[in-house]
């Protein structure tokens, strides 16, 4: 298919959005439909241009892969030439992705997370493949899956959990699940089986296999093969991991849909358990309405299903069973059920978790330490504000007013101590007049982002009405409608 080049990014966006909408509509309309001739869409100049624009906007474009090239190198060489060469290599079948450069990131548990940094050329092709595949597989994803999906965020997952905890649903036990080394242990054969259930284009399937088998370049320039897992850190990995983990989503949704509304009420009266799952990437919770023993039984069944059908294991360190009255942590939030107003009624409240608060306080402490006194107050404010705004915007839908006030108190003392170390000869009166009296505003007019001034608002529960870029009425097929979810 000879397609003229589209140098205008806006026209390219409109063109890509047009055929994405068609693919998504066809996938939603027929669950059994399989798509061929997708490779031409991957190679389309509009797709590659849109992919480049998204890679360019990503902060990771400033990080080089094994070829040492960043976004600036591509712009110096010429974007049009690079995209034209990529398109020609794809159509000729000579394109081969380079190994990802490994980078070790410390985790909360003290272990190291392995990230693979792909080259800019590979990121463009991965993003182009994602643009084609995502609208198709979004139609099959369950509504209780929220991670790495367009239009969905962590707050939606938290509100879904609160929805199940509140009456009349009243789920009481929570299985906190975490997949052990999810990205590194996904079985590539089973993953490709899931992809083939929707895609028949052999060239697209071969391209995905190339990315899975590209390998990782570790220290001392040694290339290690990747017989399992998806390259964590690539543009395509989140979508591939969702495709692999959607098997678990459908397992729980099928168990729920197998019982009618009346049958679930009879099960509740006879003491049989009912359970629902909410997943965000590889973190998930299973909410159980029943006894603690029944929750343990469901946990064992989940572990067995994942081992047999998905070749994945639950992390023993992060998987636990708790009661909603005791509270549990999810995605940086603390969720706990408490009495509400009148006697006999309860409501689930969310707060910033202690770990999340410790992490933001640690970052403030590092930025206001003795080793940063070489910075000016303006530079310190510019370094602190993005961190403070990002954290408070993430948690501003919680019951976080007291937490924000305490964080502002901590921030005030850290900055004051930083100023005392920076200006040891100034008296307290001089320091207060020079810095405190100006309301912590930089010379450029940038004011310190105080957490206590962030308004705390209620997040609106959207349920199955979450829209996608290709529809206005929601994504996927909801196997449990809002009217039946109350049972």
């Amino acid at each position: 298919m000879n397609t003229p080049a589209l140098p205008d990014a806006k026209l390219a966006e409109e063109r890509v959005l047009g055929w994405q909408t068609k693919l998504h509509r066809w996938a939603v309309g027929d669950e059994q439909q399989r798509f061929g001739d997708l490779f031409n869409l991957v190679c389309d100049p509009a797709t590659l241009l849109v992919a480049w624009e998204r890679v360019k906007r990503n902060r990771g474009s400033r990080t080089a892969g094994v070829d040492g090239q960043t976004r600036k190198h591509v712009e110096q060489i010429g974007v049009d030439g690079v995209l034209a060469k990529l398109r020609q290599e794809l159509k000729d079948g000579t394109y081969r992705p380079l190994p990802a450069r490994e980078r070790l990131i410390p985790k909360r548990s003290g272990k190291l997370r392995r990230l693979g940094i792909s080259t800019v050329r590979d990121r463009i092709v991965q993003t182009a493949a994602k643009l084609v595949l995502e609208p198709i597989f979004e139609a099959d994803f369950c509504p209780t899956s929220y991670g790495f999906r367009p239009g969905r965020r962590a707050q939606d997952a938290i509100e879904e959990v609160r929805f199940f905890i509140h009456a009349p649903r009243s789920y009481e036990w929570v299985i906190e699940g975490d997949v052990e080394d999810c990205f590194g242990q996904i079985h590539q054969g089973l993953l490709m089986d899931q992809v083939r259930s929707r895609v028949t284009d052999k060239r697209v399937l071969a391209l995905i296999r190339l990315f899975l088998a590209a390998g990782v370049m570790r220290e001392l320039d040694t290339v290690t093969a990747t017989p399992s897992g998806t390259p964590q850190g690539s543009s395509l990995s989140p979508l591939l991991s969702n495709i692999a983990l959607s098997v678990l989503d459908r397992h729980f949704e099928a168990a729920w849909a197998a019982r009618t509304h009346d049958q679930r009420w009879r099960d509740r009266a006879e003491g049989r358990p009912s359970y629902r799952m909410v997943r965000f990437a590889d973190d998930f919770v299973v909410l159980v309405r029943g006894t603690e023993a029944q929750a343990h039984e469901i946990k064992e069944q989940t572990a067995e299903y994942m081992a047999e059908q998905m070749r994945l294991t639950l992390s023993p360190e992060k998987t636990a069973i708790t009661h909603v009255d005791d509270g549990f942590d999810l995605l940086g939030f603390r969720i706990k059920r408490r009495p509400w107003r009148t006697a006999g009624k309860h409501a689930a409240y969310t707060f910033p978790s202690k770990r999340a608060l410790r992490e933001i306080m640690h970052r403030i402490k590092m930025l206001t330490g003795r080793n940063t006194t070489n910075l000016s107050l303006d530079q310190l404010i510019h370094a602190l504000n993005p961190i403070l705004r990002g954290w408070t915007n993430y948690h501003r839908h919680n019951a976080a007013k007291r937490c924000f006030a305490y964080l502002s108190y901590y921030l005030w003392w850290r900055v004051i101590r930083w100023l005392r170390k920076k200006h040891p000869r100034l008296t307290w009166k001089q320091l207060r007049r020079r810095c405190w009296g100006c309301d912590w505003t930089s010379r450029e007019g940038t004011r310190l982002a105080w957490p206590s001034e962030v308004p705390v608002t209620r997040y609106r529960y959207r349920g199955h009405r979450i829209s996608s870029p290709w529809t206005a009425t929601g994504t996927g097929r909801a196997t449990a409608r809002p009217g039946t979810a109350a049972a």
Side-chain angles (χ1 to χ4, degrees):
M1 182 175 67
N2 296 322
T3 307
L6 293 173
D8 185 66
K10 184 177 181 180
L11 291 176
E13 284 277 1
E14 293 176 357
R15 175 171 179 159
V16 170
L17 181 60
W19 55 252
Q20 279 184 323
T21 303
K22 291 181 181 178
L23 290 175
H24 184 70
R25 184 172 67 248
W26 295 336
V28 171
D30 186 359
E31 298 182 15
Q32 305 300 324
Q33 182 172 354
R34 302 174 70 193
F35 293 82
D37 197 23
L38 297 175
F39 192 74
N40 287 328
L41 294 177
V42 177
C43 302
D44 191 284
T47 308
L48 293 175
L49 180 58
V50 172
W52 159 250
E53 290 294 328
R54 297 194 180 185
V55 170
K56 182 180 67 174
R57 291 195 298 264
N58 196 304
R59 189 171 57 180
S61 62
R62 295 177 289 182
T63 306
V66 295
D67 60 352
Q69 294 187 354
T70 61
R71 180 188 66 188
K72 290 184 178 180
H73 292 86
V74 175
E75 292 173 341
Q76 290 172 358
I77 297 171
V79 176
D80 293 341
V82 171
L83 297 183
K85 185 178 179 181
L86 270 178
R87 181 170 185 263
Q88 192 61 42
E89 290 180 2
L90 287 168
K91 293 185 75 68
D92 294 344
T94 59
Y95 170 78
R96 294 294 182 273
L98 294 175
R101 182 167 65 87
E102 185 180 65
R103 185 174 181 182
L104 302 178
I105 305 296
K107 298 173 66 175
R108 295 174 178 175
S109 60
K111 299 180 181 179
L112 295 175
R113 185 191 305 276
R114 299 182 181 272
L115 292 182
I117 302 174
S118 304
T119 63
V120 177
R121 293 174 72 256
D122 293 340
R123 286 178 231 172
I124 294 172
V125 179
Q126 290 170 4
T127 306
K130 180 183 177 182
L131 289 171
V132 176
L133 296 174
E134 191 173 41
I136 297 172
F137 287 97
E138 268 292 318
D140 297 331
F141 291 155
C142 294
T144 52
S145 169
Y146 293 94
F148 304 128
R149 295 182 61 185
R152 292 170 176 250
R153 53 184 73 95
Q155 285 82 0
D156 290 315
I158 298 301
E159 286 300 312
E160 184 79 359
V161 171
R162 294 179 71 247
F163 175 78
F164 288 131
I165 293 176
H166 286 164
R169 292 153 295 277
S170 303
Y171 287 77
E172 296 183 334
W173 294 97
V174 179
I175 305 172
E176 305 172 58
D178 183 87
V179 183
E180 182 75 25
D181 189 17
C182 177
F183 283 87
Q185 296 300 324
I186 288 177
H187 193 280
Q188 294 182 0
L190 297 177
L191 170 61
M192 292 305 300
D193 289 341
Q194 294 297 318
V195 177
R196 276 191 289 268
S197 67
R198 276 296 200 174
V199 177
T200 60
D201 194 321
K202 293 183 179 180
R203 291 177 296 177
V204 172
L205 297 174
L207 184 63
I208 296 174
R209 283 194 293 266
L210 284 176
F211 285 123
L212 294 176
V216 175
M217 181 172 287
R218 304 189 188 277
E219 297 178 359
L220 303 177
D221 295 338
T222 58
V223 179
T224 304
T226 52
S228 65
T230 61
Q232 187 172 3
S234 74
S235 306
L236 195 57
S237 285
L239 176 62
L240 295 179
S241 65
N242 264 338
I243 293 173
L245 293 175
S246 62
V247 177
L248 185 63
D249 300 336
R250 289 193 292 270
H251 170 70
F252 279 91
E253 290 292 337
W256 171 260
R259 309 291 289 173
T260 65
H261 180 78
D262 294 336
Q263 288 174 333
R264 284 192 287 269
W265 276 107
R266 285 197 295 270
D267 290 344
R268 185 175 185 178
E270 295 171 3
R272 285 193 287 267
S274 178
Y275 50 92
R276 300 301 303 271
M277 187 185 76
V278 178
R279 183 176 65 83
F280 190 95
D282 59 337
D283 293 321
F284 67 90
V285 292
V286 180
L287 295 117
V288 181
R289 186 173 57 205
T291 64
E292 184 177 5
Q294 291 170 336
H296 279 281
E297 184 180 352
I298 294 170
K299 174 189 171 183
E300 296 300 325
Q301 293 174 357
T302 303
E304 292 175 3
Y305 180 83
M306 293 178 62
E308 293 175 1
Q309 303 295 329
M310 305 169 62
R311 314 287 176 85
L312 295 174
T313 58
L314 288 177
S315 173
E317 302 172 354
K318 300 180 181 180
T319 304
I321 296 177
T322 55
H323 195 277
V324 293
D325 290 346
D326 298 328
F328 60 98
D329 291 348
L330 178 64
L331 305 176
F333 299 85
R334 182 72 176 176
I335 307 174
K336 190 172 184 179
R337 191 177 68 174
R338 290 182 173 180
W340 182 72
R341 294 183 182 178
T342 58
K345 290 188 177 181
H346 296 81
Y349 293 86
T350 58
F351 314 89
S353 67
K354 291 183 178 179
R355 173 177 286 178
L357 181 60
R358 285 198 304 267
E359 287 179 352
I360 186 64
M361 291 173 63
H362 177 73
R363 297 186 70 179
I364 294 172
K365 184 177 181 180
M366 292 296 101
L367 283 174
T368 56
R370 190 180 295 274
N371 60 340
T372 62
T373 52
N374 59 317
L375 300 176
S376 66
L377 181 60
D378 293 356
Q379 292 173 326
L380 180 68
I381 290 176
H382 281 287
L384 283 170
N385 277 359
I387 298 172
L388 294 170
R389 289 196 185 102
W391 194 87
T392 51
N393 283 335
Y394 184 76
H395 290 282
R396 67 189 178 94
H397 299 297
N398 292 336
K401 201 62 181 177
R402 288 186 179 180
C403 180
F404 286 175
Y406 174 76
L407 190 60
S408 291
Y409 165 82
Y410 179 79
L411 175 66
W412 189 89
W413 274 111
R414 287 303 308 180
V415 176
I416 283 292
R417 292 183 64 182
W418 180 84
L419 289 169
R420 294 296 296 269
K421 293 171 186 174
K422 183 176 178 63
H423 306 288
R425 296 185 179 181
L426 292 181
T427 64
W428 172 256
K429 186 176 181 180
Q430 293 171 327
L431 195 64
R432 184 174 60 180
R433 183 169 58 249
R434 176 182 295 187
C435 302
W436 185 13
C438 66
D439 200 24
W440 307 99
T441 304
S442 68
R443 295 177 182 176
E444 300 176 0
T446 305
R447 188 168 177 270
L448 191 62
W450 295 102
S452 60
E453 297 178 356
V454 176
V456 175
T457 59
R458 178 70 179 271
Y459 189 80
R460 180 174 60 87
Y461 173 65
R462 298 192 290 169
H464 301 294
R465 299 181 299 275
I466 300 176
S467 62
S468 76
W470 316 291
T471 62
T473 57
T475 61
R477 296 182 191 84
T479 55
R481 301 296 176 185
T484 62

